Amino acid sequence: MQIIKGKTNIDFIGKRRIAVFLSSVLNIAVLVGIALAGFNWGVDFAGGTLIEVQFKGSITAEKVREGAVKGGLQEPQVQSIGPAEDNTFILRMGGVTQLTDEGAKASEAAIRALPGVEVTAFNKDLDNGLLTFRTKAELQIDQIKSAVAAGGTGVQSVTLLPGSSVESGFQYQVASAGMSEKVQEALKKGISETGFEVRRTDYVGPQVGAQLRNKGIAALLLAMLSILIYVAFRFDLKFGPGALVASVHDVIMVAGYYLVSRREFNLTSIAVLLTILGYSINDTIVIYDRIREEMVKFKGKPLPEIINIAINDTLSRTILTSGVTALSLVGLLIFGVGEIFDFAAAMLWGIVVGTYSSVYIASPLTIWLDEREAAKAKSGGSTSSGAMKAKTA
C-alpha cells in the first residue's frame, strides 16, 4: 500500500535557487497584474446586483448580452455557468436599485413640471434608491409614479410621510424598484424566442461591499501574523520567516489564478485563501518537525543536507495528503457549477503551490537565515580575535 517503496534521495534543495527565482518572477508578475488590471470583483465586494437566469431554450452568452442591451440595459456582464445544455447565465449589474444620478435628476425635473406643483425640497439617496421631496400642495400617488417612471426609474412604492399637512407641506418618499425587475423586463423585451426563469438574486450595497473587502483582507493579514508567531514559538526564530514568506507566496499565486482566469473574486475567494493558508502551513510544519528531529540525529551535518533528508522522509506523506485532497476537488470540478467550480479550481491550484512552497520557499529561506547567522557569528569572532591580537602587541 506504499506509494513510494524504500527511501528516496532526491536533491530538492539543490534546485532551490532556480525555484526561488521563478517564484519571485511569478509573484512580481501577479502583483503588477493586480495593480494594473485588478480583480474581477464580485457583487460581495464591488456592490451591485447578481441575477442567475436559466433559459428554457438553447441560447449563448453573447445573445443574452445582446438581448439585454436591446431591452434597455447598459453594459451588462453576462457569464455562462454549468454545462452548455443547462442554458444558465449570471448577469451582473452595478447598483442595487434602478435609481441613478441621471434618473434622479430626470425624476426631479418631471415632478417639478407637474401642473400646479411647487417643490420646496428635494433629496436623493442613491445607495438606498430613495427620493424624498416636499411640496406645498398634496399630490396623487399615481401622478408621482408616472413622473418618476418618465425619468427612466422603476417605482416600487410611494409613501406620504407622517407629519405632512397643509401648514408644513406634504412630504413624499419614493422607493425605486430593484435591478432584478429591470433586468427581467429587459430580457423579456430583448429575447422573445425563449422564456426564462430567475433562479437567484443577490443584492449588496457599495458600503457593505467595501466593508466586506476590508475585513477579508484583515482576516488574511491576521492569519499570516498568527502563523509567524506560532512557528517562531514552536520552533526557532529562523523558521518563522520561512513559513510566513511561503504563506504570502501561496496567497499571491492563488490570487494570480483569479487574475488570469478573470473568475469572480468574492467572499468564497477569501475562504479559499484562508483554507490554503491552513493547508500550506500544515505541510510546512510537518517538514519543519522532521527537520528538528534530523538536526538532533545528524549533529554536525550542514543544514541543507538535513533539510533534504527531512523532505525525502516526508515525501510519501506529502504525496498522499495532497493527492487525496486533490481527488476530492477533481470530483467537484467535474460535477460542480458556478461558485462551487470556482472554489474547487482555486483550491486545486492552491494545493499545488502550497505543497511546492513548503519545499522550495520555506526551507530555502530557513537555510539562508542560518547561513547569514553563521556568517555573522564568524565575522564577529574574527573581529574579536583581531582586536585581541592588536591589544597584545
Side-chain angles (χ1 to χ4, degrees):
M1 296 298 293
Q2 291 180 338
I3 298 295
I4 299 176
K5 295 184 179 180
K7 188 176 177 64
T8 60
N9 189 26
I10 303 171
D11 186 17
F12 290 102
I13 298 303
K15 311 293 189 302
R16 68 183 185 274
R17 288 183 175 83
I18 298 174
V20 169
F21 173 77
L22 291 176
S23 295
S24 301
V25 170
L26 287 174
N27 275 247
I28 292 172
V30 170
L31 291 175
V32 171
I34 292 173
L36 295 178
F39 292 114
N40 177 23
W41 296 109
V43 174
D44 293 340
F45 294 151
T49 305
L50 181 148
I51 304 167
E52 184 179 330
V53 181
Q54 184 177 35
F55 287 86
K56 296 177 181 178
S58 180
I59 194 169
T60 63
E62 184 60 27
K63 286 189 176 181
V64 173
R65 194 188 70 81
E66 290 176 359
V69 172
K70 184 180 177 182
L73 297 183
Q74 295 182 355
E75 299 182 358
Q77 296 182 26
V78 181
Q79 177 187 351
S80 174
I81 62 171
E85 57 269 19
D86 281 359
N87 299 306
T88 303
F89 303 88
I90 285 180
L91 286 84
R92 296 180 184 84
M93 295 293 298
V96 175
T97 68
Q98 297 183 26
L99 186 64
T100 62
D101 188 49
E102 294 79 10
K105 290 177 181 178
S107 298
E108 181 180 0
I111 291 171
R112 290 183 183 275
L114 290 173
V117 174
E118 184 179 349
V119 178
T120 58
F122 193 97
N123 296 305
K124 58 185 177 182
D125 182 356
L126 299 181
D127 290 342
N128 297 305
L130 298 175
L131 295 175
T132 306
F133 60 93
R134 186 185 296 273
T135 62
K136 287 188 175 181
E138 187 174 2
L139 300 179
Q140 297 295 322
I141 299 299
D142 291 339
Q143 278 184 297
I144 299 173
K145 285 185 177 180
S146 300
V148 175
T153 302
V155 179
Q156 183 179 19
S157 64
V158 178
T159 307
L160 178 63
L161 297 180
S164 298
S165 65
V166 176
E167 293 79 14
S168 62
F170 297 88
Q171 189 170 8
Y172 297 90
Q173 187 175 76
V174 180
S176 63
M179 287 300 299
S180 178
E181 289 81 0
K182 187 173 183 178
V183 170
Q184 292 182 55
E185 290 176 7
L187 292 178
K188 287 176 182 177
K189 291 179 182 177
I191 304 174
S192 57
E193 60 268 21
T194 178
F196 62 88
E197 175 191 357
V198 176
R199 302 178 64 182
R200 175 168 63 103
T201 303
D202 290 336
Y203 298 99
V204 176
Q207 294 179 351
V208 175
Q211 188 179 28
L212 289 173
R213 184 171 63 248
N214 294 337
K215 287 190 175 182
I217 295 172
L220 286 172
L221 295 176
L222 184 60
M224 292 180 194
L225 179 62
S226 301
I227 287 171
L228 174 64
I229 295 172
Y230 168 73
V231 174
F233 173 77
R234 180 171 173 181
F235 294 95
D236 189 88
L237 286 176
K238 63 186 175 186
F239 285 93
L244 179 63
V245 172
S247 300
V248 173
H249 167 273
D250 298 342
V251 168
I252 293 175
M253 292 299 286
V254 176
Y257 161 80
Y258 287 100
L259 177 70
V260 174
S261 67
R262 304 311 293 170
R263 292 285 184 175
E264 189 177 288
F265 194 92
N266 49 28
L267 283 175
T268 304
S269 308
I270 296 293
V272 170
L273 294 177
L274 289 171
T275 306
I276 290 302
L277 278 177
Y279 180 89
S280 176
I281 194 61
N282 179 61
D283 199 39
T284 303
I285 290 297
V286 170
I287 294 176
Y288 276 1
D289 206 42
R290 183 56 64 91
I291 291 172
R292 185 168 57 179
E293 292 176 4
E294 303 293 359
M295 288 175 71
V296 176
K297 186 177 178 182
F298 299 103
K299 284 186 177 180
K301 268 196 174 186
L303 184 59
E305 291 185 28
I306 293 176
I307 291 178
N308 218 41
I309 293 171
I311 294 173
N312 278 277
D313 287 348
T314 57
L315 183 60
S316 180
R317 178 261 175 203
T318 300
I319 293 174
L320 284 170
T321 305
S322 303
V324 170
T325 311
L327 281 176
S328 64
L329 292 171
V330 168
L332 290 176
L333 282 175
I334 295 172
F335 300 106
V337 296
E339 291 189 4
I340 294 178
F341 179 90
D342 295 344
F343 176 85
M347 275 292 297
L348 189 60
W349 173 240
I351 286 173
V352 173
V353 298
T355 304
Y356 164 87
S357 68
S358 297
V359 176
Y360 285 113
I361 302 297
S363 300
L365 188 58
T366 303
I367 293 173
W368 180 76
L369 290 172
D370 183 72
E371 290 174 349
R372 187 182 178 188
E373 184 180 332
K376 191 175 180 181
K378 186 177 180 180
S379 175
S382 300
T383 303
S384 300
S385 176
M388 181 62 71
K389 288 178 180 179
K391 187 176 180 181
T392 303

